[in-house]
Amino acid sequence: MQIHNVAIRLLVTLSVAVVFSLATANAQKLPTSTTIGTNPAGTVFYAVSAGLAKVISGAGPMQSVVQPYTGSSTFMPLVDSGELDFGIINAVETNLGYQGPAKLKIGGKNPLPHVPNTRLIMRGSPLSVSLVVKKDSPMKTVHDVKGKRVTGEYPANAAIWFHIFAGLASAGLTWDDVKIVPVPAVNDGVDALVQGRADVTNHAIGAAKVKEADATVGVRYLSLDCTPEGDARARKAVPGYAITTLKAGASTGIVADTCVLSYDIYWVGHKGLSNEVVTHVLKAVWDNIDKLPPLNPQFQDWTRARAASAEVTVPYHPAAVQFYKERNLWNAKMDESQKRLLAVNP
């Protein structure tokens, strides 16, 4: 009996040692920290990046650091090259960058650098954006924007150019119907509005920058064209967008029921990321998904069910594919989509 007990204790000790050794080996494969490229503080994308970084860092042993840039146009090449590990970008902009200017133009334009190495880690929540005016502006809907001073160009933040382009299109308008006030990036557009240099700008619903402007001069969002025809015009102008209605009081600046643009947020990386890193960060977020919503309202719809989809514009990282397969979230349609997207940049 005594020999039997000793044998059992020895077996338990060896098992614990093996598990500890495997855990240590896996930890050694992880870098000390990883970076998430994002838009400036005050934007929704910055808040999303900060939330993900907090959850990943809290799961240990690898820290996650947020690195803000003027706009996604600036940091997308850094993610593609591996200088940054991850990035938070919208689905439309990711599509333009992944396809490249030679294969895809929207509105006759694609100013984004070709980023063929971009890989999707997780499809996040939908984000809503719309045109912003001062609260005392006589404008009520996008149809009133014709002839007004509208922020434009956005060389460091190309996504905003497409946001406004689609919003104008919902009313059958183009950039030729407004007076363009050049600005480099999204927050600069709000500054131009507050300072009186522009009549109309664009920003995400729920952004800290909009709350700041509202406290300074009072702002509100303009409703886009809510009709089926308006929605169809916006979708045709920029594939990937749709028009949705937010109820009065849903967020700062939504003073009445307001039609806005909606599109997906992507958490992306590059194809050179190790499987261990991708699996680790995904597991950290997956296991702690309930910790995200208290950090920012944008995480309310950042769910496990939305993580994998066939309706995406860039291929998933192979470790992400495996992760979702193991959780029965991957299907045949996603295999087809993955194959099609990988063929874009063979």
Side-chain angles (χ1 to χ4, degrees):
M1 179 65 73
Q2 187 174 5
I3 294 175
H4 179 68
N5 289 339
V6 171
I8 291 176
R9 286 197 295 272
L10 180 60
L11 181 61
V12 170
T13 301
L14 288 172
S15 298
V16 171
V18 169
V19 170
F20 179 77
S21 296
L22 289 173
T24 302
N26 286 334
Q28 289 175 345
K29 291 180 181 178
L30 297 174
T32 304
S33 66
T34 54
T35 50
I36 303 178
T38 190
N39 287 349
T43 64
V44 169
F45 282 12
Y46 182 91
V48 165
S49 301
L52 292 174
K54 183 174 182 178
V55 167
I56 293 168
S57 297
M62 184 181 72
Q63 295 299 295
S64 180
V65 180
V66 176
Q67 183 62 56
Y69 290 84
T70 307
S72 47
S73 310
T74 307
F75 70 77
M76 283 173 69
L78 303 180
V79 176
D80 194 68
S81 68
E83 185 172 336
L84 288 172
D85 301 298
F86 301 103
I88 297 297
I89 314 175
N90 79 63
V92 172
E93 205 169 17
T94 311
N95 187 26
L96 285 160
Y98 182 70
Q99 297 275 348
K103 292 183 179 179
L104 178 63
K105 287 183 172 64
I106 295 177
K109 178 175 181 174
N110 183 352
L112 293 167
H114 190 202
V115 288
N117 300 316
T118 300
R119 294 294 182 269
L120 190 56
I121 306 300
M122 189 177 201
R123 184 179 73 144
S125 53
L127 178 68
S128 295
V129 302
S130 196
L131 301 174
V132 184
V133 299
K134 288 185 178 179
K135 192 167 286 185
D136 60 1
S137 169
M139 288 178 278
K140 301 300 181 185
T141 75
V142 63
H143 292 278
D144 300 322
V145 171
K146 188 172 183 178
K148 300 298 190 296
R149 297 173 301 165
V150 180
T151 55
E153 296 195 6
Y154 292 98
N157 209 172
I160 314 305
W161 188 94
F162 292 102
H163 294 344
I164 299 176
F165 177 70
L168 292 172
S170 75
L173 301 175
T174 72
W175 284 106
D176 292 334
D177 295 307
V178 300
K179 300 172 184 176
I180 299 173
V181 178
V183 294
V186 63
N187 284 349
D188 302 288
V190 175
D191 289 338
L193 178 72
V194 170
Q195 294 162 9
R197 293 185 288 112
D199 304 310
V200 185
T201 190
N202 184 283
H203 215 298
I205 313 302
K209 186 69 174 180
V210 173
K211 294 178 182 179
E212 175 189 301
D214 188 57
T216 304
V217 298
V219 297
R220 58 182 167 81
Y221 287 92
L222 284 183
S223 187
L224 304 182
D225 191 312
C226 300
T227 66
E229 293 78 12
D231 180 56
R233 286 191 291 264
R235 289 173 184 263
K236 181 179 180 181
V238 185
Y241 287 146
I243 291 182
T244 187
T245 303
L246 298 181
K247 294 294 184 181
S251 187
T252 300
I254 304 295
V255 298
D257 290 358
T258 306
C259 293
V260 300
L261 286 176
S262 180
Y263 60 91
D264 284 334
I265 299 174
Y266 283 176
W267 176 16
V268 302
H270 58 91
K271 70 178 184 180
L273 276 171
S274 74
N275 292 341
E276 290 79 13
V277 166
V278 173
T279 301
H280 175 79
V281 296
L282 270 175
K283 189 174 188 305
V285 171
W286 189 272
D287 292 347
N288 297 282
I289 200 84
D290 59 320
K291 295 180 180 178
L292 291 174
L295 300 177
N296 189 274
Q298 187 61 45
F299 285 119
Q300 293 294 335
D301 294 318
W302 194 289
T303 64
R304 293 168 178 159
R306 283 185 56 85
S309 170
E311 303 300 322
V312 295
T313 56
V314 292
Y316 282 86
H317 189 283
V321 174
Q322 183 61 33
F323 185 89
Y324 297 130
K325 282 182 177 179
E326 291 172 357
R327 285 152 184 80
N328 298 316
L329 203 63
W330 195 265
N331 57 42
K333 285 187 177 180
M334 295 175 193
D335 274 327
E336 294 172 7
S337 174
Q338 181 79 354
K339 183 178 180 180
R340 174 178 55 79
L341 289 168
L342 286 172
V344 172
N345 291 300

